[in-house]
Amino acid sequence: NLLLVLSMQTCVERWVCENIIKLLREENTVPFMVRYRKELINHMDADAVRDVQMNYESLCSLSKKTQSIIQTLNKDGVLSNELEWDLRSCRSADELDHVYSPYKKGSKLTKARRAKALGLEEAASALMDSPHTLDLSTWIKPGTEGLSTVEEVATGVENILADMIAKDPETLTYVKTLCERSSITIQSSVSKTALKEKEQEKAAQAPPKTKAEQNKSKDFDKFHLYFDFTCNVQRIQPHQTLAINRGESLKILSVKVNVPDRVKTDFTTWCINNRWRPKTFARGELIALIRNAVEDSFKRLILPFLTRSYRTKLTCAAEKESIAMFARNLRTILLVGPVRGCVIMGVDPGFRHGCKIAILSQTSQIQHTDVLYLHNSGFATRQKEAEKLRYLLLKHSCTKVVIGNGTACRETESFFSDLIARRFFHPLDVSYCITNEAGASIYSVSPEAVKEMPELDPNLRSAVSIGRRVQDPLAELVKIDPKHLGIGTYQHDVSSGALKASLDGVVQECVSFVGVDINICSEMLMRHVAGLSAGRARSIAEWREQKGPFINREQLKLVKGVGPKSYQQCAGFIRLNPQTLHSIFFFFSNSMKASCDQPAAPEEKPVAKKGKGKSTANVPPSFNPLDQTCIHPESYHVAQKFLALVGGSVDQIGSAGLRGCVESKVRASSVEDLASTLQTTPETLKLVIDGLTQPPGFDIRQNFGQADFKRGIVSMNDLRVGTVLTGRVDNTTLFGAFVDIGVGRSGLIHKSKITMDKLPVSQRRRSLALGPGERVEVRVLDVDTERGRISLDLIRVLQ
């Protein structure tokens, strides 16, 4: 039963799993389900729904693979009822591969299959069912290999019985239970190959010359923690599993799973006395044969299966945790609050090729770009460049500088800090912040960047991207592949498909929940709205260019490629801001007027197109104030009824007066009672109330922290053990959190220091307690200036 297995794997109620599967089959997106179908999914968040979705897809894939194997084996004529039952009983790809591997084409015949080919399967059955009638000497066939002596016959029967034991579901379940009660450990050590290469290198007494040899030498030293490592499989950390896997793939580490001898002893006793006990009396030599078969099955077949099973289980768990870390980090950096309403200078620092700068207007339009040589030059040159910098900042009234954290970041920060300390930019109160520039260089040479900024040099495009990352992080970062953003760890050690699916889902979730103004958002941002694709986003952009701004959500139905399902999924996440609409109409009407003043071109006879276009009969021509809210069009009738109930109108949306009326009505009658009166669900009514009471232009990101701007600089040498500082989490890994404390080098809070009592109540149940962007108070535990490492202790999370 797929639903039952899915419920057990995800620890989600069966009815919820059933609803999620039904919604997925109806092509509903995760953001749509989480916001507009809460009652069907039991108020689960996007990560939990995605987990159910991934498990469901995995089970469907396993089911298809099982069916395909059964058809193949049936075609080959080797499928029996027992084998089909064994295949259908498998609940994981490992178990399926274990049962199917002996029958794969191209694989050499196993010992059991060779014995069966000699006709000894009947003797093996007789050994278990009626051993008192079994005489092995009657199966001897002189001159036939494998049947020429009693010993060969006995060996063949043993092999068949060992194979039966290793594939029996009840036996495998029992041995797994024994392992769960025992201390199973995973052990890693230096591989013989790596040790031999290291000894040869020492014997030569010469440093590695080629770059490949140097990298290999560095890799060897990275794994010193795992040269003699042993840990219980129940307690091993995800990052340790991924590190061991990487070391093994590089042939630096040798890994094995240790199963205690007691498991073998208990397993053998249980098999002989219970599951594989003969049904009638058996002579001593036959009992010995059964014992040999059990021991051979455990050593040759079951133990390798257990090892593969444990390694796969640990790897899957570690990958899942690592991907969850990536997703959590990505969500946090995408939802960083935008810095609106100010001119910003983006700086891409550099030494030899200079610092690339870009000044951006309050609406992220490029005002000026330049290259300044602030380093590796004489005093006079630096002074001249500083004067130029002051002129640009004063000219554009720019008080915010954003510096990328790449090469020459520290020196550029020091340059700005020195000028600010000297009040060089007076009367402007200039401050700066450091932002992560990961992916900016890759984006600057991408086709999207060329299309957006065709006249700019790629290096200057990087400066523009760095500035826009602070002005509107979400709109800028969606242009970059998430795997290039420098978040998480062990990116190349996890399934690329699963990682991409998870990160793409997070991007879609963030863009959808924040919402997009359909009349001004970029095509790139529009692609990530739930229900839209690259093709539909392009069609919407083309429609916008040809026919002017959208007046209401209903007009989306007129766009090519946006059918009823696409409209249902995207409508609630698309906004129409009346202020934006007014300004665009003004610009559009002026453009049309200017074009009308030009001499008219000779009219061409339109070419008749086959097929019918979309009808505009049912699309209203006026603006609907509800289109600026998070309320879905399918709930507009509920919103209208509720407004009538509280004595308000759509023109009052977001006003203090309407908010007061709504709050008094909710206090007088509960949401549940009001929902019953309006014949809707409490979840839908709560969403309607949010949409009507949130102020115009509401942005969920206003509750999240913005970039930190500062005016001074502190060096690593200024740190002392015991110093208490505040900082912002820069990156979260499986072994701890890196915190930017403003000294040019992030400090590490080891996961052992992130304890429940130091976290807010809302974060105590999260598996990943800290995320990028969170402000924390920390204490310095250790400063290693030679290695550039800072150890920190978490005091508390600042809210």
Side-chain angles (χ1 to χ4, degrees), residues 288-300:
L289 191 150
I290 294 172
R291 176 178 287 277
N292 291 340
V294 170
E295 291 177 350
D296 177 53
S297 178
F298 183 84
K299 181 180 178 182
R300 184 168 55 87

Side-chain angles (χ1 to χ4, degrees), residues 90-191:
C90 297
R91 290 195 175 190
S92 68
D94 259 354
E95 289 183 22
L96 186 65
D97 189 58
H98 176 66
V99 175
Y100 174 53
S101 57
Y103 302 94
K104 283 182 182 177
K105 284 184 178 178
S107 60
K108 61 182 182 180
L109 288 175
T110 61
K111 292 180 178 181
R113 287 186 69 187
R114 284 199 294 269
K116 286 178 182 178
L118 294 172
L120 291 176
E121 193 168 8
E122 187 181 337
S125 299
L127 175 62
M128 300 310 301
D129 297 333
S130 53
H132 63 284
T133 63
L134 180 62
D135 183 2
L136 296 179
S137 60
T138 60
W139 294 86
I140 296 175
K141 291 183 181 178
T144 302
E145 187 179 353
L147 297 175
S148 56
T149 64
V150 174
E151 287 76 16
E152 287 185 355
V153 172
T155 301
V157 172
E158 276 180 23
N159 292 332
I160 293 172
L161 187 56
D163 186 67
M164 290 166 62
I165 292 168
K167 290 176 182 172
D168 177 55
E170 187 181 336
T171 304
L172 291 177
T173 302
Y174 181 78
V175 76
K176 286 177 182 177
T177 306
L178 282 178
C179 290
E180 286 172 6
R181 296 173 187 166
S182 306
S183 177
I184 311 297
T185 60
I186 185 167
Q187 180 182 344
S188 67
S189 55
V190 187
S191 68

Side-chain angles (χ1 to χ4, degrees), residues 725-727 729 739 770 774-778 794 796-798:
L725 302 163
T726 59
V729 177
V739 180
L770 294 176
E774 292 190 85
R775 290 182 57 78
V776 291
E777 188 174 51
V778 294
L794 176 65
R796 63 192 176 104
V797 178
L798 302 174

